[in-house]
Amino acid sequence: MAAEVPTIPLLTPYKLGKFNLSHRVVLAPLTRQRSYGNVPQPHAILYYSQRTSEGGLLIAEATGVSDTAQGYPDTPGIWTKEQVEAWKPIVDAVHAKGGIFFCQIWHVGRVSNQGFQPNGQAPISSTDKLLTPQANGIDVTQFTTPRRLRTDEIPQIVNDFRLAARNAIEAGFDGIEIHGAHGYLIDQFMKDEVNDRTDQYGGSLENRCRFALEVVEAVANEIGADKVGIRLSPFADYAESVDSNPKALGLYMAESLNKYGILYCHMVEPRMKAVGEIHQCPDSLVPMRKAFRGTFLVAGGYDKEDGNNAIAENRADLVVYGRLFLANPDLPKRFKLNAPLNKYNRETFYTSDPVVGYTDYPFLEDTA
């Protein structure tokens, strides 16, 4: 009698609200800087469809909610009619292969400079504290001293997220993910080492999270909570966004999100740095996982074994893969067959080439 093939937890089906997923391997939102002039390009049709499997969930790269939201060259937007129309064939290609496609919407806040801003104005943020120059793997980015948003201006930024969500649905996306992580605008409000406000958006944990939750409420009211996710990274220190009590921040947000009944919460694992190595802290998100009543996604350098363990131990419902999925367009298939993985090339992550390092990673059958 043939030996029974062991179940691979990552490849078991999952019901994400009204969406039937055939596996739990999710494409991460990955900035690729190939949307010339902030308009998605036809080469993205191939890029995303390559990484689509029947019943697989993909999250599109971070997409700007307004002309003030930009901080990197050639990242896509979704605030103009032209951008919405440019997204439509990309979304259609994913749907044609049976994929579920969410659009991550963001505002970079102070992670910008005057060159990216309309009329050369200062970037906006929760603060007027200048971000020190950052090495991004290619060069060093210089930032402009941000302008602290006035209290009466914040509703307009919330509205920008609401309109971006509406535009994403018009473009055909199945839902949206609010980017509340990695030192961008929403994170700049939440983290107490950045947010130095003294109004109702600063000081206490509740006040610092107010902006994030107003965005969640506005977006959920606009397109339906069953189409809304959010990404959070309470433990991360990207762009000098650090919180003195990340566990309390993560737990407060996880609990507060339940009020709005959104579809999922996508959290990034904390990672401990040892000499020459980076280790995950796999138990750190468990309190947030237990507190949040919707679907719980985790990300943060997972490999196949880590992902399987996270699902098997009920630490997550879905596992989000970035660099591995970038380099292996057929990643779920490779996991199923225990096949070797292509190595990613970091030097081509953020170039403008429409093919190299973008759509030229080989499929398994091409390497056989």
Side-chain angles (χ1 to χ4, degrees), residues 155-333:
Q156 177 58 53
I157 310 303
V158 173
N159 194 52
D160 288 341
F161 276 90
R162 180 185 68 82
L163 294 174
R166 184 171 76 185
N167 286 345
I169 298 304
E170 183 185 337
F173 283 100
D174 298 295
I176 65 96
E177 177 178 282
I178 298 162
H179 197 342
H182 292 163
Y184 299 114
L185 183 62
I186 291 174
D187 211 27
Q188 291 160 30
F189 273 85
M190 289 191 288
K191 302 281 182 68
D192 60 9
E193 290 196 21
V194 180
N195 186 338
D196 55 359
R197 303 176 74 91
T198 56
D199 60 9
Q200 64 263 42
Y201 292 95
S204 68
L205 180 58
E206 292 80 4
N207 281 356
R208 286 183 280 114
C209 293
R210 187 185 306 277
F211 173 58
L213 295 173
E214 286 180 351
V215 170
V216 169
E217 182 175 30
V219 167
N221 286 344
E222 180 65 35
I223 66 170
D226 60 339
K227 301 183 188 73
V228 177
I230 188 170
R231 192 180 212 199
L232 300 169
S233 60
F235 296 93
D237 59 0
Y238 292 99
E240 299 172 2
S241 286
V242 180
D243 195 79
S244 61
N245 192 342
K247 291 183 180 177
L249 173 59
L251 192 58
Y252 177 79
M253 282 298 294
E255 291 171 341
S256 300
L257 290 169
N258 290 326
K259 174 183 175 183
Y260 307 100
I262 65 171
L263 182 63
Y264 72 74
C265 179
H266 173 187
M267 286 235 184
V268 180
E269 289 277 4
R271 302 170 82 187
M272 296 184 303
K273 293 182 180 179
V275 179
E277 296 181 12
I278 296 179
H279 301 282
Q280 287 176 304
C281 312
D283 297 326
S284 299
L285 297 181
V286 170
M288 297 88 176
R289 197 278 195 277
K290 290 180 177 177
F292 181 68
R293 293 199 288 266
T295 292
F296 198 74
L297 284 65
V298 294
Y302 279 80
D303 60 17
K304 178 184 174 182
E305 182 181 3
D306 295 330
N308 280 328
N309 289 341
I311 302 299
E313 296 166 11
N314 199 30
R315 289 187 276 112
D317 298 305
L318 306 172
V319 181
V320 182
Y321 289 87
R323 289 164 293 183
L324 292 186
F325 221 147
L326 179 156
N328 296 273
D330 51 357
L331 186 65
K333 181 178 180 180

Side-chain angles (χ1 to χ4, degrees), residues 13-272:
Y14 180 79
K15 189 161 180 59
L16 175 67
K18 63 184 179 183
F19 307 108
N20 294 310
L21 304 185
S22 60
H23 58 77
R24 301 172 188 238
V25 180
V26 180
L27 175 67
L30 298 168
T31 292
R32 303 308 313 273
Q33 295 184 201
R34 288 163 166 88
S35 296
Y36 313 138
N38 306 127
V39 178
Q41 296 295 307
H43 48 246
I45 296 171
L46 179 59
Y47 172 75
Y48 282 110
S49 63
Q50 282 180 333
R51 286 156 184 79
T52 303
S53 54
E54 179 75 34
L57 173 63
L58 297 82
I59 307 171
E61 61 207 277
T63 300
V65 300
S66 70
D67 58 357
T68 70
Q70 305 304 304
Y72 300 89
D74 297 327
T75 52
I78 198 157
W79 72 88
T80 71
K81 183 70 174 173
E82 180 187 12
Q83 292 163 341
V84 172
E85 292 301 315
W87 272 116
K88 286 182 178 179
I90 304 168
V91 177
D92 288 346
V94 170
H95 286 159
K97 292 184 70 174
I100 294 93
F101 205 10
F102 273 53
C103 181
Q104 189 191 68
I105 55 176
W106 75 340
H107 193 301
V108 301
R110 68 174 184 163
V111 188
S112 186
N113 61 51
Q114 288 171 306
F116 291 105
Q117 297 299 309
N119 304 316
Q121 62 195 37
I124 56 176
S125 181
S126 62
T127 182
D128 58 9
K129 289 188 282 191
L130 176 64
L131 185 60
T132 55
Q134 306 273 311
N136 62 14
I138 299 173
D139 53 23
V140 176
T141 304
Q142 303 283 340
F143 303 102
T144 300
T145 300
R147 180 177 69 81
R148 186 195 312 269
L149 280 164
R150 299 190 313 270
T151 306
D152 66 332
E153 293 177 298
I154 292 176
Q156 177 58 53
I157 310 303
V158 173
N159 194 52
D160 288 341
F161 276 90
R162 180 185 68 82
L163 294 174
R166 184 171 76 185
N167 286 345
I169 298 304
E170 183 185 337
F173 283 100
D174 298 295
I176 65 96
E177 177 178 282
I178 298 162
H179 197 342
H182 292 163
Y184 299 114
L185 183 62
I186 291 174
D187 211 27
Q188 291 160 30
F189 273 85
M190 289 191 288
K191 302 281 182 68
D192 60 9
E193 290 196 21
V194 180
N195 186 338
D196 55 359
R197 303 176 74 91
T198 56
D199 60 9
Q200 64 263 42
Y201 292 95
S204 68
L205 180 58
E206 292 80 4
N207 281 356
R208 286 183 280 114
C209 293
R210 187 185 306 277
F211 173 58
L213 295 173
E214 286 180 351
V215 170
V216 169
E217 182 175 30
V219 167
N221 286 344
E222 180 65 35
I223 66 170
D226 60 339
K227 301 183 188 73
V228 177
I230 188 170
R231 192 180 212 199
L232 300 169
S233 60
F235 296 93
D237 59 0
Y238 292 99
E240 299 172 2
S241 286
V242 180
D243 195 79
S244 61
N245 192 342
K247 291 183 180 177
L249 173 59
L251 192 58
Y252 177 79
M253 282 298 294
E255 291 171 341
S256 300
L257 290 169
N258 290 326
K259 174 183 175 183
Y260 307 100
I262 65 171
L263 182 63
Y264 72 74
C265 179
H266 173 187
M267 286 235 184
V268 180
E269 289 277 4
R271 302 170 82 187
M272 296 184 303

